[in-house]
Amino acid sequence: GDDVARRCSSTCSSWSGPQPPGPAPAVDLTPLSRLTGLRRLQLAGFTVNDFSPLAALSSLEGLVLSSIASEGTLEEGQVVTAEAIDDVSFIGGLTELRALTLWTTGGRHLRLGAEDLAAVAALPKLESLAVVGCYLPEGGLGILAGSENLRELSVTFEDFSPVDLSPLASFPSLEHLAIGGIGLADLSPLAHLA
């Protein structure tokens, strides 16, 4: 658990690879679907239109999606929407997942929907979650509070709207918290963490 999370997050946090000059053709993830015994996977810095082949990787314990964009969205400042990259609800089928990192950089942001977060929160073994450089829906932390085994949470808020941190008090197993972002103004709800 801890070892998987540490390797996934340390690898991801050091990613600063070159950024492509413009839109790149999409990479087909279908060949990965045959790697059903794979325990850890990091995908970084390229274009993907369909994540559904990853749903076949039922043995995954650690997954990092870093700086992934959809076809035609690699321009600086472009917002990558869940619709543009299909969706990331496939994560809900990865029931062995213990560590998940969704990390966007270089002006590309993933906009996670409530359904995406519900799929993440329902993962029975998830212990470590990092959502960095992503837009969360209103009430996103409340949705994630349903994740009973989550011990480590790292979230960076990319929206200018005020962020409600009060749902953090209802995370039953939280031991490590890293938060940051534009919309943070009131940290008083953190005083109620047990």
Side-chain angles (χ1 to χ4, degrees):
D2 289 341
D3 190 41
V4 170
R6 214 175 359 267
R7 279 189 294 222
C8 284
S9 64
S10 67
T11 302
C12 183
S13 64
S14 64
W15 174 259
S16 61
Q19 299 296 319
V27 173
D28 180 8
L29 298 180
T30 303
L32 294 178
S33 66
R34 294 188 272 285
L35 303 174
T36 57
L38 198 63
R39 293 182 56 205
R40 286 181 293 283
L41 176 63
Q42 177 175 345
L43 301 176
F46 55 88
T47 302
V48 174
N49 283 335
D50 182 14
F51 287 108
S52 65
L54 299 183
L57 305 180
S58 58
S59 297
L60 273 185
E61 295 178 2
L63 176 62
V64 176
L65 300 178
S66 175
S67 296
I68 301 292
S70 63
E71 199 163 18
T73 61
L74 293 176
E75 296 176 26
E76 188 67 26
Q78 183 74 33
V79 173
V80 181
T81 67
E83 293 77 26
I85 58 170
D86 200 13
D87 67 74
V88 295
S89 61
F90 75 91
I91 291 170
L94 302 176
T95 57
E96 296 299 312
L97 208 59
R98 297 179 186 279
L100 174 62
T101 299
L102 301 173
W103 187 291
T104 59
T105 60
R108 289 176 260 151
H109 302 288
L110 174 65
R111 188 175 301 276
L112 297 171
E115 290 151 5
D116 298 319
L117 292 179
V120 170
L123 292 169
K125 297 182 179 180
L126 190 67
E127 297 174 355
S128 176
L129 175 63
V131 180
V132 180
C134 301
Y135 289 96
L136 297 180
E138 187 174 332
L141 283 178
I143 296 168
L144 290 173
S147 187
E148 294 180 13
N149 295 316
L150 196 64
R151 296 180 313 136
E152 299 179 12
L153 177 63
S154 299
V155 181
T156 302
F157 300 95
E158 294 296 325
D159 199 345
F160 286 98
S161 303
V163 175
D164 177 15
L165 297 177
S166 61
L168 290 174
S170 58
F171 280 68
S173 303
L174 196 61
E175 296 173 2
H176 175 87
L177 175 64
I179 56 171
I182 301 167
L184 291 176
D186 181 15
L187 298 181
S188 62
L190 298 180
H192 303 293
L193 290 176

